[in-house]
Amino acid sequence: MDNINLQRIEGYTVQLVAEDVWAIDEFGADIIYLVKGEKSAAVIDTGSGFGNLKKVIETLTDLPYVVLNTHGHLDHVGGNHEFGKAYLSEKDFKMADTEKLRSGWKKYVEKTKKEPGFYGTEYIIEGREPGDFQMLPLSEHQIFDLGGRSLEVLFTPGHTPGSVVFLDRKNKFLFAGDSVVSTPILIFDTYSSTVKEYAEGLKKLDKEDFELIFPGHFLRPIGKAILHDLITCADKIVEGTATPEPIDFSHMSSEPAVLYKYGKGNIAYNDKHIC
């Protein structure tokens, strides 16, 4: 770790990626963000809940903070119980239910431990599993004022029906969860929405003024230009003019999927989740 902006806290790799913005890498599995204002802070997603995320957050800031979820998948809400409550789209409440998360917990942990790049086996808390937390609903254009910096909620269904992003208008940052990532956008699972809805959400997003996208996986901020490729990619799938290739995502879902690439955008989908 020769980058002075990198540090290791409780096993998590923490990087200062912008002024008062920290990316917290959960052992190579996902990225959590801490965004600090003058009066309070926001924790965007809580990862899988493998380790002591709360201690990481409270090492980085002594400000009061709110927990915000981009969507309801386990690898983004798994640590919510550490904080007692979190904001989440009501459309994803069902998938973030404690019993739902617990039912697949052991299988998920064993699968993740075998993923390339995962380095967290020794940091997983023995006996840890998702616990109860209070779900607070998000509304579109809801503002979280942190003091001198605010985050605005924008709905981007597709990856899940309740997927959202958080826009920092002042700094032109977008915290995108799994709605915009450099790897395939996954729209084929039981809890996915549709490619058509995804395209509509991206077109709305494209009208907003931001420059950098901070994704929920792989620490590589993305430029806004990727939206144009993703929009075209989605439109071609909906129009029926896409020429996808086979792809094996059986390790993630029992539903089959194909992959279509356009420029730097690529979407994994199946016929049930096009329109």
Side-chain angles (χ1 to χ4, degrees):
M1 289 192 180
D2 57 356
N3 186 327
I4 62 172
N5 290 327
L6 281 174
Q7 57 185 310
R8 188 67 62 84
I9 306 174
E10 295 290 311
Y12 293 78
T13 300
V14 180
Q15 183 172 10
L16 181 67
V17 291
E19 184 174 0
D20 289 330
V21 178
W22 288 264
I24 303 167
D25 183 338
E26 188 186 31
F27 320 138
D30 46 70
I31 304 292
I32 299 148
Y33 293 94
L34 172 65
V35 183
K36 192 167 73 171
E38 296 168 357
K39 297 179 180 179
S40 62
V43 177
I44 299 177
D45 288 334
T46 59
S48 302
F50 291 136
N52 193 339
L53 177 63
K54 187 173 184 180
K55 188 171 181 179
V56 177
I57 299 301
E58 295 180 356
T59 298
L60 294 170
T61 184
D62 57 4
L63 291 173
Y65 55 86
V66 64
V67 176
L68 310 175
N69 292 148
T70 59
H71 61 293
H73 280 155
L74 174 55
D75 56 336
H76 294 261
V77 304
N80 281 1
H81 63 277
E82 284 194 77
F83 304 96
K85 59 184 178 181
Y87 284 89
L88 175 72
S89 168
E90 285 184 282
K91 291 185 177 181
D92 280 7
F93 274 16
K94 184 178 179 180
M95 72 177 71
D97 175 77
T98 303
E99 291 308 312
K100 169 67 180 174
L101 297 180
R102 283 178 178 165
S103 67
W105 173 248
K106 290 183 179 179
K107 183 178 179 180
Y108 171 76
V109 172
E110 292 308 308
K111 176 186 77 70
T112 304
K113 284 162 66 174
K114 297 173 185 176
E115 291 286 335
F118 183 76
Y119 65 90
T121 300
E122 66 181 287
Y123 300 109
I124 295 176
I125 295 175
E126 188 69 26
R128 168 64 65 89
E129 64 177 15
D132 293 327
F133 67 95
Q134 181 184 3
M135 298 184 195
L136 304 173
L138 291 169
S139 57
E140 188 156 31
H141 302 299
Q142 183 174 355
I143 301 291
F144 291 90
D145 184 358
L146 308 180
R149 160 181 254 152
S150 62
L151 297 173
E152 181 177 348
V153 180
L154 298 173
F155 286 5
T156 52
H159 180 60
T160 68
S163 287
V164 306
V165 297
F166 299 98
L167 177 61
D168 177 347
R169 290 188 182 277
K170 180 179 179 180
N171 295 288
K172 299 186 178 183
F173 296 158
L174 188 77
F175 298 92
D178 288 357
S179 289
V180 186
V181 290
S182 55
T183 52
I185 306 297
L186 308 183
I187 310 180
F188 64 87
D189 190 60
T190 303
Y191 288 104
S192 293
S193 180
T194 66
V195 177
K196 183 177 180 181
E197 275 194 294
Y198 180 63
E200 291 168 351
L202 288 189
K203 289 171 186 175
K204 177 182 64 178
L205 202 56
D206 194 35
K207 296 176 183 177
E208 301 290 351
D209 184 19
F210 59 89
E211 296 174 356
L212 274 185
I213 300 167
F214 291 96
H217 294 276
F218 303 101
L219 184 51
R220 298 289 186 275
I222 307 167
K224 188 178 179 180
I226 195 173
L227 289 187
H228 305 144
D229 286 348
L230 282 170
I231 289 168
T232 302
C233 186
D235 280 345
K236 286 183 175 292
I237 292 169
V238 173
E239 294 164 359
T241 58
T243 52
E245 58 190 60
I247 192 165
D248 183 7
F249 272 116
S250 58
H251 64 293
M252 299 184 67
S253 173
S254 59
E255 292 200 30
V258 293
L259 181 70
Y260 179 58
K261 301 178 182 178
Y262 182 88
K264 295 187 181 300
N266 49 110
I267 299 173
Y269 67 100
N270 61 28
D271 288 346
K272 291 195 294 183
H273 294 281
I274 294 176
C275 295

